Amino acid sequence: MVETGQLNRLKVIREVEFGVYLEGGREGGILLPRAEVPAGTRLGDRLQVFVYLDTNDMPIATTKRPRAQVGQFANLKVAEVNEVGAFLDWGLPKDLFLPYNEQTRRLKPGESVTVFLYLDNTGRIAATTKLEKHFDPAAEYHQGQLVELLVWRRTDIGYLVILDNRAQALLHQQDIHRPVRVGQRLPGFVKQVREDGKITVMLEKPGYARVDPLAQQVLNYLEARNGFCALGDKSDPDAIREIFGVSKKAYKMALGQLMKSGRIRQDEKGIHLLD
């Protein structure tokens, strides 16, 4: 079954001058335009594509990856505002529609806004800034759990964040020890789940002694990647800067702090997180 607004793995069933048709959809298949057909594609191959509706409300496929799929939250930039609503840049040629009745305030081109993607009653992909109704009340979390955070909005006491596209939580100001901005995605940890279900999170793993912000960034990177990073203290400076945004000297100092505190070990393959 083809899911609009999602990544699908679909079989090539027909080739035409202007592209290929993939299984599913109306009128004999879903078009993947010629410019996006991978080189060497043959009948029967399965391609991973994103399916959405074109300007004629017909399903169309693309190998491009949008910044979010239906059922997910994202922070997107407003590309245009007109008499029917706002249109958001989500990485595809056709901008994402945000109707006026799904806005909590009027938006201006160039600003960014956090939205949830859904299918409207006609099957079109749309966005809403009314996020609360799309959180999962059955979502369960426990203290110390590693989660993905999407920073939603600033409050008087910190930031509201979205956990794993499922729930909301508070990142308290007292638990922020490095720059954080709205729209940023970063790993974090559940700090507390209260009896009323409200969740607080932090950027460091609970129970550990606090380390410098860069050292904590390295720990978070390791936590999110099964405890391994190929970048050691002898790695290429450009590779270190690309991943962590710092000089090799600063990175080596952070690794030294973590090894001294018994948090990581290093070998010829890279660095490893210790329990």
Side-chain angles (χ1 to χ4, degrees):
M1 178 181 176
V2 178
E3 295 185 86
T4 302
Q6 304 283 347
L7 289 172
N8 296 261
R9 193 165 185 82
L10 304 178
K11 184 167 66 175
V12 178
I13 59 173
R14 186 157 52 100
E15 185 174 359
V16 294
E17 182 179 351
F18 45 86
V20 298
Y21 279 93
L22 308 174
E23 62 184 339
R26 294 173 281 174
E27 300 185 9
I30 299 172
L31 176 66
L32 176 64
R34 171 62 59 190
E36 297 198 42
V37 178
T41 296
R42 298 178 294 180
L43 292 178
D45 288 350
R46 290 188 175 273
L47 303 177
Q48 189 170 58
V49 295
F50 182 79
V51 177
Y52 64 111
L53 301 185
D54 64 15
T55 53
N56 297 315
D57 290 337
M58 293 294 294
I60 190 168
T62 178
T63 54
K64 295 183 174 69
R65 299 291 181 90
R67 296 187 178 93
Q69 301 180 54
V70 167
Q72 296 181 346
F73 299 86
N75 187 266
L76 302 174
K77 183 173 289 188
V78 179
E80 180 187 352
V81 176
N82 62 24
E83 66 278 2
V84 297
F87 293 84
L88 311 177
D89 178 7
W90 63 324
L92 297 183
K94 182 184 178 184
D95 291 333
L96 178 65
F97 181 45
L98 172 56
Y100 273 128
N101 62 4
E102 292 294 338
Q103 298 178 27
T104 53
R105 62 179 177 83
R106 290 296 179 256
L107 302 170
K108 298 178 181 179
E111 69 174 303
S112 295
V113 61
T114 302
V115 297
F116 177 82
L117 277 65
Y118 68 99
L119 293 179
D120 68 14
N121 55 14
T122 67
R124 298 185 185 93
I125 305 170
T128 178
T129 61
K130 300 176 181 179
L131 307 188
E132 287 87 347
K133 61 184 178 181
H134 296 288
F135 294 129
D136 181 1
E140 295 186 0
Y141 292 91
H142 58 82
Q143 185 180 23
Q145 182 175 343
L146 175 66
V147 289
E148 181 191 59
L149 309 179
L150 170 61
V151 183
W152 174 14
R153 68 169 185 248
R154 179 141 204 171
T155 73
D156 292 340
I157 57 174
Y159 289 89
L160 285 178
V161 298
I162 299 169
L163 308 185
D164 299 331
N165 283 298
R166 298 187 66 196
Q168 67 173 320
L170 174 67
L171 174 60
H172 201 282
Q173 190 65 48
Q174 68 184 20
D175 293 316
I176 300 173
H177 306 290
R178 55 190 169 95
V180 170
R181 57 177 172 78
V182 171
Q184 185 177 9
R185 289 187 183 273
L186 67 167
F189 299 90
V190 174
K191 180 179 181 180
Q192 182 184 32
V193 181
R194 299 186 346 188
E195 290 185 4
D196 61 5
K198 292 184 177 180
I199 303 169
T200 56
V201 294
M202 57 195 306
L203 302 182
E204 299 87 18
K205 191 168 185 177
Y208 282 120
R210 184 166 297 144
V211 296
D212 290 341
L214 176 56
Q216 185 61 53
Q217 184 181 352
V218 174
L219 288 176
N220 290 350
Y221 186 92
L222 290 166
E223 287 275 1
R225 290 163 179 80
N226 297 316
F228 174 72
C229 175
L231 297 176
D233 59 12
K234 294 182 174 59
S235 295
D236 181 72
D238 290 338
I240 293 171
R241 189 175 299 279
E242 181 178 353
I243 297 297
F244 295 102
V246 298
S247 68
K248 182 174 180 176
K249 180 179 180 181
Y251 185 67
K252 289 177 67 174
M253 291 177 63
L255 296 191
Q257 180 187 3
L258 292 173
M259 285 188 283
K260 185 176 180 180
S261 63
R263 307 285 286 279
I264 66 170
R265 67 177 177 85
Q266 182 175 214
D267 58 24
E268 66 279 0
K269 294 180 180 179
I271 57 174
H272 305 263
L273 184 66
L274 298 175
D275 295 332

